[in-house]
Amino acid sequence: GKKSDNVFEYVSKSLTLQESFWSFNIPSKNLQIPFLLVGKSSEPDVYMDKGRVNYGTVLVGNKIKRTIYLINNEKIPFSYSFDKASYNSATDSPVIHIDSVSGTIPSRDQVAINIIFNPIGEEKYNFNLICNIRKKPTRLLCNIKGEGFMVHSRVEIVDKGKTNSVKPRTLNQVNFGKIQINQKVTRSVVLFNTGFYSYDYTWKFEP
């Protein structure tokens, strides 16, 4: 006799239960055999160890690094890629930098992703970082928040009741006038903080 093999191939395109009804017929033998094919898929066990990262307040121009991990619990490796549109603004100086935008997570392993926050303005930032995992229908999300701040300071010199503002990057003179030996003359230097955050200062004497 002869044998004929028929193969049913199932390609998953969604996570819902899939059913397909088939019928095998041999008209000459008046034979009919029904088939019910059932398939169900599950997402790969690949995820981020953190769903949110909060950098708090960061001085404008400074860089703060935080690390998240992409974890793969499956027996096969999975490739990943971060959606640049989810964290890159239209400015020439991006606020968020990712050291590994794309790559592969080995089987039963994890990959460290360093995220650097570099505020360029005095404002609050909020990004929903999107990571696409190949063959995983659901995207991975990580909410990133941070706030940039600047030091708002003013320095004034009080000279005989008159107040003069100190100009930055300029040689500012303090005139004590003519004084006699052992005479004490005082000029006051006043520092103002008009911002919301405290700042440190130091004096440096340059002869």
Side-chain angles (χ1 to χ4, degrees):
K2 294 182 179 180
K3 183 177 72 171
S4 177
D5 293 330
N6 294 286
V7 178
F8 292 92
E9 183 177 313
Y10 171 62
V11 179
S12 175
K13 294 184 179 180
S14 68
L15 298 177
T16 58
L17 184 69
Q18 302 291 323
E19 294 182 346
S20 181
F21 294 91
W22 294 76
S23 179
F24 178 72
N25 297 296
I26 303 179
S28 61
K29 301 294 183 179
N30 196 23
L31 179 66
Q32 184 180 32
I33 302 176
F35 288 91
L36 172 60
L37 303 181
V38 180
K40 186 178 181 181
S41 302
S42 60
E43 285 208 32
D45 191 7
V46 181
Y47 60 93
M48 288 182 182
D49 70 324
K50 295 183 183 71
R52 62 180 62 88
V53 176
N54 193 338
Y55 289 89
T57 54
V58 178
L59 183 64
V60 171
N62 284 9
K63 297 180 180 180
I64 302 296
K65 182 178 71 174
R66 296 286 185 269
T67 302
I68 63 174
Y69 291 89
L70 293 176
I71 301 173
N72 179 13
N73 288 329
E74 299 290 346
K75 296 180 181 179
I76 59 174
F78 282 88
S79 60
Y80 70 89
S81 63
F82 286 92
D83 186 353
K84 292 184 179 181
S86 66
Y87 63 90
N88 262 350
S89 57
T91 61
D92 295 332
S93 302
V95 177
I96 298 296
H97 304 263
I98 298 178
D99 65 350
S100 181
V101 178
S102 61
T104 301
I105 317 169
S107 61
R108 301 194 184 279
D109 204 348
Q110 62 184 18
V111 172
I113 305 295
N114 294 318
I115 305 174
I116 300 172
F117 176 58
N118 179 24
I120 59 175
E122 197 168 22
E123 59 182 294
K124 293 182 179 180
Y125 297 92
N126 190 346
F127 300 94
N128 287 314
L129 183 63
I130 297 175
C131 180
N132 296 304
I133 305 295
R134 188 181 180 189
K135 297 183 180 180
K136 182 178 175 70
T138 305
R139 301 179 299 178
L140 302 181
L141 297 176
C142 182
N143 180 253
I144 298 178
K145 291 182 179 180
E147 181 178 357
F149 78 94
M150 299 176 66
V151 174
H152 295 271
S153 62
R154 188 175 81 253
V155 181
E156 295 181 351
I157 299 175
V158 180
D159 183 1
K160 297 180 181 181
K162 296 181 180 179
T163 301
N164 297 314
S165 297
V166 174
K167 299 178 181 180
R169 294 178 293 277
T170 303
L171 181 60
N172 296 271
Q173 295 184 349
V174 180
N175 189 358
F176 288 91
K178 295 181 179 181
I179 60 175
Q180 298 179 359
I181 297 175
N182 296 326
Q183 182 182 359
K184 181 180 180 181
V185 178
T186 303
R187 298 290 186 266
S188 299
V189 178
V190 184
L191 283 74
F192 296 88
N193 183 2
T194 57
F196 295 100
Y197 302 95
S198 60
Y199 64 84
D200 299 326
Y201 67 91
T202 57
W203 288 98
K204 184 178 179 181
F205 177 71
E206 295 183 357

